[in-house]
Amino acid sequence: MAKVTDAVAQLALPYVEAAGCTLWDVEYVKEAGEWFLRVYIDKADGVSIEDCEAVSRPLSDKLDEADPIEGSYTFEVSSAGADRALKKPEHFAQFQGAEVEVRLYRAKDGRKDFIGLLQSWQDGDVTLEVGGAPMVFTKQEVAQVRLYPRF
């Protein structure tokens, strides 16, 4: 569904920027038999409900007008969140040195989840500092990388 997400990202960008935010990600996923279109936004001082509303209202109208998606779906605009998924090269560059959680498709050394400091990202391969030593996870191994906030 990359074409849908790319089209929505292009439509969303002016509204996101007009609200003083940045576009973090767009996803179009099927959950429990229903389609969801989610636009994730970010802002240096945090995303408020007013920011989400400032993007959601005009973008919803634009989506109705442009009609880039066949069929029905639920539309949501939300903050990327403190535990946001890192997907794009610029996400990994922005959070280099931050604590992240890497989830694997299959267990490695008896586990599927690793928490450490993000050292690098290269063509989908992720290097973390785990317990003071570097660990490399290949693109084929990695199911998801998320920020790991501590409260």
Side-chain angles (χ1 to χ4, degrees):
M1 290 295 157
K3 291 181 182 179
V4 168
T5 57
D6 290 345
V8 171
Q10 286 182 336
L11 292 171
L13 192 57
Y15 301 107
V16 172
E17 290 176 344
C21 300
T22 57
L23 181 63
W24 184 261
D25 196 19
V26 175
E27 67 179 14
Y28 183 58
V29 295
K30 193 170 191 176
E31 295 175 356
E34 294 187 37
W35 284 98
F36 290 84
L37 175 63
R38 295 188 178 111
V39 174
Y40 295 100
I41 59 177
D42 195 23
K43 194 174 181 181
D45 57 347
V47 173
S48 69
I49 191 74
E50 289 81 13
D51 295 324
C52 293
E53 184 179 359
V55 173
S56 179
R57 288 182 187 264
L59 180 54
S60 178
D61 292 342
K62 185 65 175 178
L63 288 168
D64 288 345
E65 176 188 312
D67 201 20
I69 301 172
E70 290 184 26
S72 63
Y73 58 90
T74 299
F75 174 56
E76 301 172 351
V77 175
S78 69
S79 164
D83 64 344
R84 68 193 61 196
L86 305 181
K87 297 179 180 179
K88 302 174 185 176
E90 56 268 26
H91 296 167
F92 289 93
Q94 180 179 347
F95 288 101
Q96 190 165 345
E99 195 167 36
V100 298
E101 177 182 19
V102 172
R103 291 185 182 164
L104 306 178
Y105 290 112
R106 292 188 200 139
K108 181 176 188 171
D109 298 333
R111 41 193 261 223
K112 291 175 89 174
D113 296 316
F114 292 84
I115 297 169
L117 298 180
L118 177 61
Q119 289 187 329
S120 68
W121 180 89
Q122 178 91 24
D123 299 322
D125 295 349
V126 178
T127 303
L128 296 186
E129 180 184 313
V130 179
M135 283 190 83
V136 177
F137 303 94
T138 66
K139 180 178 182 175
Q140 293 77 18
E141 294 176 297
V142 176
Q144 186 178 63
V145 179
R146 291 181 124 6
L147 287 182
Y148 188 78
R150 292 194 186 260
F151 298 100

